[in-house]
Amino acid sequence: MKQRVRAARALDGEVYPPGDKSISHRALILNSIAQGNARVSNFSQAGDCLATVACLRALGAEIESGEVGELFVRGVGKGGLKEAEDVLDAEDSATTMRILTGLLAAQPFLSVITGDESLRSRPMSRVIQPLRLMGARIWGRSGDSRAPLVIKGGQLHGIRYQLPVASAQLKSAVLLAALFAKGDTIIKEPMPSRDHTEILLKAMGAEIEVAADTITLSPSRLNAVDLIIPGDISSAAFWLVAGAVHPQASIRLLNTGINPTRSGILDVLRSMGADLIVQNERVLNGEPVADLEVHSSALTGVEIGGGLIPRLIDEIPLIALAACAARGKTVIRDAQELRVKETDRISATVGELLKMGAEAEELPDGMVIYGGKKLRGASCDSHRDHRLAMMLGIAALIAEGETEIDNAEVADISYPTFWQDLENLSSGQ
Ligand code: S3P
């Protein structure tokens, strides 16, 4: 699908961002192997999360749909999953593939898991390595580094493991395996990554201790919990940046998760000078939530890197766009992980923004953007990357003339109502 977007005269209104994608995956996976029944509300309708539901059902999980965004899970308990009759398909979702690989490594049956072309090109050895140290038998293509993966599950043992990258998918894969292992597992992170798995494990009664950079998990049984999934800050971020960079904007984002391991975008926008207000802070099932309000702002460039990067890893294409509208230079470093996302997000972000008249260059681990160049409509491509497609949609709202975004339907991977929300918020396109 080709999406055409013209500059909006004004951006105004309220949005409930879709249910958080990361929490949705975890809510379903953990409740499926728990004891008891759970009702999960505001579950993300994103393609990635639906892939997790399909994989879990194929493994014998009992999941029924209620109203939109409502799922009822009858936990099958710790030993209740069954061998799937066919290959599991994680589609475009690395979270599905990596976390389920941890779970499947500990089940007494064989699993084969694959994904789409993009997912089959992404690194999987980072998950295979620690799981093998736990005794798992896993193989993959390209010297055990790419999917499809073959997992011959069995009894695992706990390990002490220093994660080589700050990745919540990797951390969660090891935690899932550790639930079933003999003995404790101790994980150290180089920098804090999103901690939704730890929060949920605690809420479900697992024996888990989190201290500074170390997580200790003992083999545990889980109790099912009802959950209301907070709105996804990574989806809200499109409107936060749109509101800040558009000269005539006022946008409210209701019920948005602001977990500190995810809220780096708020810190960066504030340090760029954004007019951003956080209201009605509350805690929902252990996850901090708030309503956010953003108004047109005069932004200035920033330098970001280090421990901030995992807290905003998915928002970097948007930060690049904010930097285009800012005064001065922005430097983004320590973000080499972007090269192994749905596409190489460093080269795709810089390449597409250059087409729109930005002044930007790639660094091996990030990019430099020289702000202040007026963007102009162009013929752009999402590279079949949902976050790229949506970032270009926001860029189009401040560009001169019309922007065409090819393969724009991929927004469904994380935010199925994105193009509708864009139309609802825009006036005078
Ligand atoms: C996610 C973790 C991050 C993030 C991805 C979702 C998760 O990936 O980029 O969109 O839900 O655990 P990494 O674990 O590869 O850093």
Side-chain angles (χ1 to χ4, degrees):
M1 171 189 114
K2 234 189 231 321
Q3 186 77 32
R4 291 191 171 80
V5 183
R6 297 189 74 84
R9 190 181 47 73
L11 294 174
D12 189 24
E14 287 185 348
V15 178
Y16 278 94
D20 188 276
K21 184 158 82 74
S22 292
I23 303 176
S24 292
H25 286 293
R26 289 153 170 86
L28 259 240
I29 294 171
L30 293 177
N31 271 311
S32 289
I33 55 165
Q35 217 68 46
N37 300 331
R39 174 179 166 196
V40 179
S41 321
N42 200 33
F43 183 81
S44 164
Q45 300 301 296
D48 275 8
C49 296
L50 301 182
T52 289
V53 174
C55 288
L56 287 170
R57 281 187 175 138
L59 290 161
E62 296 182 24
I63 302 164
E64 273 168 36
S65 307
E67 291 174 7
V68 180
E70 189 182 44
L71 291 174
F72 296 95
V73 186
R74 198 170 311 125
V76 294
K78 219 176 160 183
L81 293 180
K82 293 195 283 289
E83 186 173 271
E85 284 178 15
D86 204 345
V87 173
L88 300 166
D89 189 359
E91 299 179 16
D92 194 45
S93 175
T95 309
T96 307
M97 179 170 284
R98 293 195 176 121
I99 300 188
L100 286 185
T101 297
L103 173 64
L104 295 170
Q107 308 307 311
F109 51 72
L110 181 93
S111 304
V112 183
I113 188 162
T114 192
D116 67 10
E117 196 183 337
S118 153
L119 185 54
R120 280 183 275 115
S121 74
R122 296 181 63 185
M124 291 299 145
S125 39
R126 56 177 64 186
V127 185
I128 296 178
Q129 275 162 9
L131 293 173
R132 279 186 173 167
L133 293 175
M134 298 177 85
R137 287 171 297 168
I138 310 181
W139 302 269
R141 263 185 335 114
S142 300
D144 297 331
S145 67
R146 301 273 186 271
L149 304 179
V150 176
I151 306 155
K152 188 144 178 50
Q155 181 61 57
L156 306 180
H157 53 81
I159 51 166
R160 206 175 248 282
Y161 193 65
Q162 167 75 51
L163 299 180
V165 278
S167 159
Q169 293 172 354
L170 168 53
K171 172 174 66 176
S172 303
V174 177
L175 287 172
L176 261 288
L179 276 179
F180 294 82
K182 275 203 184 104
D184 294 350
T185 292
I186 300 166
I187 302 172
K188 272 186 186 290
E189 292 192 89
M191 288 176 287
S193 64
R194 62 194 67 190
D195 62 356
H196 308 301
T197 307
E198 296 91 303
I199 290 175
L200 205 48
L201 282 172
K202 204 171 281 175
M204 298 176 82
E207 256 185 81
I208 182 166
E209 255 176 59
V210 182
D213 63 346
T214 307
I215 305 160
T216 307
L217 178 64
S218 308
S220 306
R221 283 183 187 283
L222 304 179
N223 304 314
V225 283
D226 289 342
L227 294 167
I228 304 170
I229 312 285
D232 196 327
I233 190 165
S234 296
S235 299
F238 293 99
W239 310 120
L240 292 175
V241 170
V245 299
H246 194 283
Q248 191 81 45
S250 172
I251 303 176
R252 261 165 70 78
L253 297 151
L254 303 167
N255 194 41
T256 306
I258 54 161
N259 179 317
T261 62
R262 296 281 301 282
S263 62
I265 182 71
L266 302 181
D267 300 341
V268 169
L269 284 175
R270 275 198 203 101
S271 68
M272 294 178 87
D275 182 357
L276 182 63
I277 306 164
V278 178
Q279 295 166 324
N280 305 325
E281 286 186 53
R282 56 219 187 252
V283 175
L284 201 59
N285 307 119
E287 291 281 351
V289 173
D291 301 325
L292 311 174
E293 197 175 304
V294 64
H295 302 278
S296 313
S297 312
L299 301 181
T300 46
V302 277
E303 294 208 1
I304 63 170
L308 182 57
I309 297 298
R311 299 179 52 230
L312 46 68
I313 187 72
D314 293 337
E315 287 68 73
I316 291 178
L318 273 170
I319 292 170
L321 170 61
C324 291
R327 191 161 42 82
K329 175 171 142 184
T330 291
V331 184
I332 303 170
R333 304 224 66 139
D334 303 322
Q336 56 280 0
E337 270 296 298
L338 288 185
R339 295 216 181 261
V340 290
K341 293 291 179 189
E342 283 80 337
T343 184
D344 176 343
R345 281 190 181 151
I346 294 178
S347 104
T349 299
V350 169
E352 295 305 313
L353 287 173
L354 286 177
K355 288 184 191 167
M356 298 184 77
E359 198 181 335
E361 62 201 31
E362 287 186 42
L363 298 173
D365 63 344
M367 57 190 90
V368 181
I369 288 130
Y370 302 91
K373 290 264 166 342
K374 175 79 186 147
L375 297 184
R376 51 170 195 272
S379 191
C380 294
D381 183 15
S382 72
H383 298 244
R384 306 209 62 79
D385 181 325
H386 52 124
R387 301 206 192 276
L388 252 291
M390 294 186 279
M391 181 277 280
L392 292 167
I394 302 298
L397 292 174
I398 56 163
E400 234 167 56
E402 189 178 76
T403 300
E404 239 181 40
I405 303 148
D406 223 352
N407 298 312
E409 71 285 353
V410 291
D412 288 359
I413 294 287
S414 64
Y415 193 165
T417 57
F418 175 79
W419 297 111
Q420 189 57 52
D421 286 350
L422 183 144
E423 201 179 308
N424 295 345
L425 286 170
S426 313
S427 49
Q429 268 200 1

